[in-house]
Amino acid sequence: MSPREPSSDRAVRSRLLRSLTASALAVGLAAATAPPASATPQAARAGAGTQRAQLLRLARNLVDAGAPGVIVRVDDGAGRPVEIAEQAAWTRRDHPLQAGDEFRMGSNTKPMIATLVLQLAAEGRLALGDPVEKWLPGQVPGGEAITLRMLLNHTSGLFDYTEDPAIRPSILGKDRRRWTQAELLALGVKHDPLFAPGTRWSYSNTGYAAIGAVLEKVTGARLADLVRDRIARPLRLHHTYYPVGSAWRGPYARGYEPDADHMPAEVPAGFRDFAGPRHHGHVDVSGNDLAWGGAAGAVVSTTQDWSRFYTALMSGKLLPAAQLAQLRTTVPVDAEHPDGPGYGLGIQTGTGPCGTFWGHDGGVPGYLTTTLTDRAGGRTATVLIATEFWAEFEADPKIAEAAHALQNAVTCTMFGKPVPAAQAG
């Protein structure tokens, strides 16, 4: 299929492993009521119990709207973090959901992969301006003009491999092959590029497949080992890892999608039938292998671990100042709105009434995650929703409305500001 052909299936595939935070969440925040400027730290502390109760209610509303499970963790940097786990009654036979459970991070993998590249840049082992041809000769057509920086900030113009029909059986859990970075890269570059390198922005998981291949070439190590040795072990992230199979290492949140008979009508026929155990109109997809996510989306973590990662990253513990500045150097997501949401190196940013946030999100079958932090890493937040195709296909307005309400409230709580009145009522 040509990348320029209009197709509803192509539009859907383009959102898999795609990042939505800076565009979608910033829009939601723009509609929120700004908190009073006169709020004092004492008043904020006094309202902490109220805020937790509001977040708990909004999480419960999301479950009542149809989400099988929800995990929330918010740390405003001023006290004890708020942790919430809510689940539908029918899911308890599979696993009693806990706030510390492991889950698939999807495209939240990208900030971690970008951090590995920047660490190697700081060590002089590669440079952001290196053409991809230098490290992967002959593997990327036009690779002489595509730099590592372009791969990281999605300005390479490479077609997104998740849009190729060959990946669909893996997405549905029916093909359990162990995709390599080189195979994922080859899947994307067999299509014509979308535009000349560096001239536009377009989210491309193929760019991160290329980055994964470069990391393995430069270091001679597997991505799983790089994540473990350079990030997880130094930060004592005991439940964060790049999986080498479908097995989990600790207690984990089950992820679900509706079965074929209960899938919303908006979902095309080719995306309606997942592999996995079935009950209560759903398929448990948490045992399906995410090798197809590769460097673009395969990492597993927890809310606590990810908070620690973001704090270390944004405070400079993982990167020298020069590389951290590169991470935060953004390009506009929408060329028509250059002052709007921006994308840096594996991380994006947006501004709402409650503050300017940095972060990412990720969507893979069964798991939709949003992770946020402030510029210094002193405040962090994560929301996990244990189902994802409603977002891919805009197929469930009821879940979408409840999810936006929770995400907006979580963001303002992270900044230590009152939950907007529109969400608190």
Side-chain angles (χ1 to χ4, degrees):
M1 179 186 298
S2 165
R4 295 178 178 84
E5 286 181 326
S7 164
S8 60
D9 277 10
R10 178 183 178 273
V12 168
R13 288 193 299 273
S14 72
R15 288 192 293 270
L16 288 164
L17 287 176
R18 182 165 296 236
S19 177
L20 309 171
T21 305
S23 55
L25 187 51
V27 169
L29 285 170
T33 302
S38 58
T40 64
Q42 292 81 4
R45 285 194 295 271
T50 300
Q51 287 183 327
R52 188 185 192 287
Q54 290 170 333
L55 292 176
L56 184 61
R57 176 178 57 81
L58 290 170
R60 186 71 241 175
N61 288 348
L62 182 49
V63 171
D64 291 342
V70 177
I71 295 176
V72 175
R73 186 180 195 274
V74 187
D75 187 348
D76 65 3
R80 188 173 182 177
V82 174
E83 295 184 335
I84 293 169
E86 287 287 313
Q87 68 186 124
W90 62 266
T91 68
R92 293 194 181 104
R93 61 170 264 187
D94 294 333
H95 173 67
L97 190 65
Q98 303 293 325
D101 285 345
E102 297 177 357
F103 51 86
R104 302 197 189 281
M105 299 299 294
S107 278
N108 286 289
T109 298
K110 292 180 173 70
M112 191 167 279
I113 295 298
T115 299
L116 294 173
V117 174
L118 288 163
Q119 287 178 341
L120 295 177
E123 296 165 11
R125 299 176 67 178
L126 53 73
L128 296 177
D130 287 347
V132 67
E133 179 68 15
K134 174 179 178 179
W135 298 106
L136 305 175
Q139 295 186 48
V140 179
E144 301 88 349
I146 299 174
T147 66
L148 301 187
R149 186 193 307 275
M150 293 175 188
L151 298 174
L152 290 168
N153 68 13
H154 300 296
T155 59
S156 68
L158 293 179
F159 180 92
D160 190 331
Y161 74 79
T162 65
E163 299 179 27
D164 190 292
I167 205 75
R168 187 184 304 178
S170 295
I171 292 172
L172 296 174
K174 296 181 176 182
D175 182 353
R176 293 180 173 267
R177 78 175 71 178
R178 294 298 302 169
W179 291 88
T180 67
Q181 305 306 311
E183 290 170 338
L184 295 172
L185 175 59
L187 199 62
V189 301
K190 75 178 186 180
H191 298 269
D192 292 337
L194 304 181
F195 49 82
T199 61
R200 287 173 47 195
W201 185 91
S202 181
Y203 198 86
S204 175
N205 292 297
T206 304
Y208 275 75
I211 285 292
V214 169
L215 284 170
E216 292 181 338
K217 179 72 173 291
V218 172
T219 65
R222 302 180 307 168
L223 286 180
D225 298 332
L226 294 173
V227 169
R228 180 194 65 202
D229 296 340
R230 287 179 167 266
I231 296 177
R233 280 183 176 170
L235 297 182
R236 297 183 181 179
L237 308 181
H238 300 302
H239 295 280
T240 298
Y241 52 96
Y242 186 101
V244 294
S246 60
W248 300 78
R249 296 184 182 175
Y252 61 93
R254 300 315 198 264
Y256 302 89
E257 297 297 342
D259 63 25
D261 292 336
H262 296 86
M263 190 70 74
E266 294 84 353
V267 179
F271 291 90
R272 300 177 68 87
D273 189 19
F274 281 90
R278 300 162 188 267
H279 63 92
H280 289 82
H282 287 76
V283 182
D284 181 348
V285 299
S286 51
N288 295 347
D289 200 340
L290 201 62
W292 62 271
V299 162
V300 170
S301 191
T302 65
T303 58
Q304 296 96 325
D305 274 10
W306 211 255
S307 174
R308 194 174 302 148
F309 167 69
Y310 264 164
T311 297
L313 175 62
M314 301 302 279
S315 66
K317 185 174 182 179
L318 287 173
L319 295 173
Q323 280 66 43
L324 185 56
Q326 293 288 346
L327 179 100
R328 294 192 184 118
T329 300
T330 63
V331 295
V333 170
D334 184 350
E336 295 183 2
H337 299 89
D339 296 329
Y343 201 98
L345 303 187
I347 198 167
Q348 52 189 348
T349 187
T351 300
C354 289
T356 297
F357 58 85
W358 293 78
H360 216 286
D361 74 351
V364 294
Y367 302 90
L368 182 64
T369 54
T370 300
T371 64
L372 301 172
T373 185
D374 62 0
R375 184 178 179 85
R379 304 171 185 266
T380 60
T382 297
V383 176
L384 163 72
I385 303 173
T387 188
E388 192 261 347
F389 257 36
W390 64 270
E392 298 292 351
F393 295 89
E394 300 177 357
D396 196 319
K398 189 176 180 182
I399 291 182
E401 182 179 0
H404 289 157
L406 176 61
Q407 289 172 333
N408 291 340
V410 162
T411 306
C412 286
T413 302
M414 182 185 79
F415 283 111
K417 297 182 179 180
V419 177
Q423 308 299 343

